[in-house]
Amino acid sequence: MVTCIRCREELPMAEANYCGNCGFPILDELSEERVRESAQNELSGFLDGYDVQSILDSMNGEQEPPAEPYQWYLEEGVKKSLTDLAILQRWDWFDKEPILGLFLEEEVFEEDPPDEAMEDFVLWARISAFLYEAFQPAGLELSIRMGAAFVEGLDPSEDIDVSITVRSDDEEETSSSGPAA
């Protein structure tokens, strides 16, 4: 009997394509490669393909910027995606360690890192910048904590000096620096 890998429901029909209980696709082969390939084909992130194309076209000047209500729509999508991340972070069953490698590779700390490692680092920097811009001081703290969690898996052999400068339009420059472990 076939069992759904998500809800563990036993399926009465061996030839089923989707779970009758939760709607999850039923795969013939459950190898890691096949499951990941299926997820890449099925999942689109919190933005669907038309959202991504519309955003890129707007950024490239190929279309007018969307109407203001689209901002509200996207804000709700961001809230849902951050909630999803928080839920996964709190779930003990979910192995968080492989996620570290999605943003920072050890090769990024080499003298001449490969392009792929630098692309991952740029992705992490963009996510950090987005969090800082969206949440201001709380975003900076969140970004630093997330960075520390990712770097923790790298186990550097020596301390790294870190310097942070925070500026606002209304305040003078404040700076903090010191060793990071």
Side-chain angles (χ1 to χ4, degrees):
M1 184 150 289
V2 177
T3 303
C4 175
I5 64 173
R6 177 165 60 190
C7 73
R8 307 300 288 172
E9 182 79 16
E10 288 188 12
L11 306 177
M13 297 172 36
E15 64 277 351
N17 292 322
Y18 293 90
C19 174
N21 184 53
C22 71
F24 196 79
I26 304 302
L27 303 173
D28 295 335
E29 182 187 337
L30 294 179
S31 69
E32 181 177 355
E33 180 180 340
R34 177 67 178 109
V35 172
R36 288 183 184 277
E37 179 183 305
S38 175
Q40 290 168 1
N41 292 332
E42 299 266 334
L43 300 173
S44 64
F46 76 91
L47 297 174
D48 72 19
Y50 190 77
D51 287 321
V52 172
Q53 189 61 51
S54 180
I55 291 166
L56 292 174
D57 287 348
S58 179
M59 289 170 57
N60 295 329
E62 296 173 18
Q63 106 177 19
E64 291 293 316
E68 183 180 5
Y70 189 62
Q71 169 73 26
W72 309 327
Y73 172 85
L74 291 177
E75 287 172 7
E76 292 304 312
V78 170
K79 283 195 293 189
K80 287 184 179 214
S81 67
L82 292 174
T83 300
D84 291 347
L85 291 173
I87 289 168
L88 282 177
Q89 195 281 328
R90 294 188 48 92
W91 190 18
D92 290 337
W93 177 88
F94 184 72
D95 183 7
K96 298 156 203 75
E97 191 167 320
I99 303 301
L100 300 175
L102 294 177
F103 296 103
L104 293 176
E105 298 180 31
E106 290 185 40
E107 292 86 3
V108 81
F109 296 100
E110 293 175 357
E111 188 162 325
D112 188 22
D115 288 343
E116 185 177 290
M118 288 307 297
E119 288 171 9
D120 290 346
F121 182 74
V122 168
L123 173 64
W124 168 247
R126 287 182 174 162
I127 291 170
S128 295
F130 173 79
L131 292 172
Y132 174 72
E133 192 67 31
F135 302 119
Q136 293 298 316
L140 178 61
E141 181 179 348
L142 174 63
S143 181
I144 290 169
R145 288 177 184 233
M146 288 172 57
F150 292 135
V151 172
E152 189 175 283
L154 297 175
D155 191 27
S157 59
E158 58 186 63
D159 287 341
I160 302 168
D161 284 328
V162 176
S163 176
I164 300 172
T165 302
V166 180
R167 294 183 191 150
S168 75
D169 295 337
D170 301 333
E171 299 176 310
E172 293 181 16
E173 181 178 312
T174 58
S175 182
S176 174
S177 64

